Amino acid sequence: NAQQLPSFTQYMNNGFLINPALAGSDGYTSFNTTYRKQWIGFKNSPTTYSFSGQTRLLRRSYKIINRNVRKNVVKPSTKGRVGIGGFAFNDVNGLVSRTGVSLAYAYHIFLYKSQISFGLAGQAYQYRIGVTPDDFGSEDPIVSKGLDLVTFVPDANAGFYWTGEQYFLGVSANQL
């Protein structure tokens, strides 16, 4: 019953991959791609690809705050409270691969100088184990003709995200 999640690094650049509450939390639209290959030079080494996009559904887009003559700040509007996002991924780890999509919904609540966000995501992926006679040799009677097991797996993720001007706190639960 062991489980293998895709390994994402640099998640500070795209926290949406691990926490659905970050969908639209910044107030702007972003698209990101991720590629990770471990153990370069080894056959069937772990490889992960992903493409994600997320945005906030705003009633107004951006507003310019005049701080002084030289420094204008463009700040996301706080009028929209709903964030949406999604990502597609392909994770290959040896003879096991997972290919899937995830769709997320987030709701943002604004407090004095902070924002609290709650998110839910639905995920569906194809889990595959593919074995050929070349992987273990033709002497093994089980894999001598090859073995290809494929199954569809639904899943859900949930998250919480609290951010302010100088801090943030995030908690997420995957594979619910």
Side-chain angles (χ1 to χ4, degrees):
N1 292 332
Q3 300 172 356
Q4 174 72 32
L5 288 173
S7 182
F8 296 110
T9 56
Q10 304 296 327
Y11 58 86
M12 290 298 295
N13 296 327
N14 189 10
F16 171 66
L17 290 174
I18 58 172
N19 190 341
L22 273 81
S25 66
D26 291 337
Y28 56 86
T29 302
S30 67
F31 295 97
N32 295 290
T33 59
T34 303
Y35 171 75
R36 178 185 172 112
K37 178 139 180 103
Q38 301 179 74
W39 310 338
I40 295 175
F42 287 88
K43 182 181 178 186
N44 296 327
S45 63
T47 306
T48 304
Y49 307 89
S50 73
F51 175 78
S52 68
Q54 47 109 359
T55 188
R56 182 181 294 173
L57 302 177
L58 299 173
R59 292 186 206 158
R60 295 184 201 145
S61 58
Y62 294 90
K63 57 186 176 183
I64 297 175
I65 300 172
N66 294 321
R67 297 253 168 119
N68 61 33
V69 176
R70 292 184 184 179
K71 190 174 185 180
N72 289 336
V73 177
V74 177
K75 185 177 179 184
S77 172
T78 58
K79 300 295 182 185
R81 295 188 183 270
V82 174
I84 58 171
F87 68 91
F89 66 93
N90 182 30
D91 181 47
V92 178
N93 193 355
L95 304 174
V96 177
S97 68
R98 294 185 344 154
T99 302
V101 295
S102 178
L103 298 173
Y105 172 87
Y107 190 78
H108 309 287
I109 301 169
F110 304 99
L111 299 174
Y112 175 62
K113 287 188 176 184
S114 66
Q115 172 179 284
I116 297 175
S117 305
F118 301 94
L120 293 172
Q123 192 175 61
Y125 58 90
Q126 176 188 11
Y127 191 81
R128 181 178 187 171
I129 300 174
V131 179
T132 65
D134 296 335
D135 294 325
F136 295 104
S138 60
E139 294 83 27
D140 191 332
I142 294 176
V143 297
S144 63
K145 296 177 183 152
L147 178 66
D148 194 18
L149 301 173
V150 179
T151 187
F152 170 79
V153 180
D155 202 355
N157 304 332
F160 168 81
Y161 185 64
W162 179 29
T163 184
E165 292 179 350
Q166 297 180 0
Y167 59 89
F168 69 91
L169 171 70
V171 177
S172 63
N174 295 323
Q175 294 185 320
L176 296 176

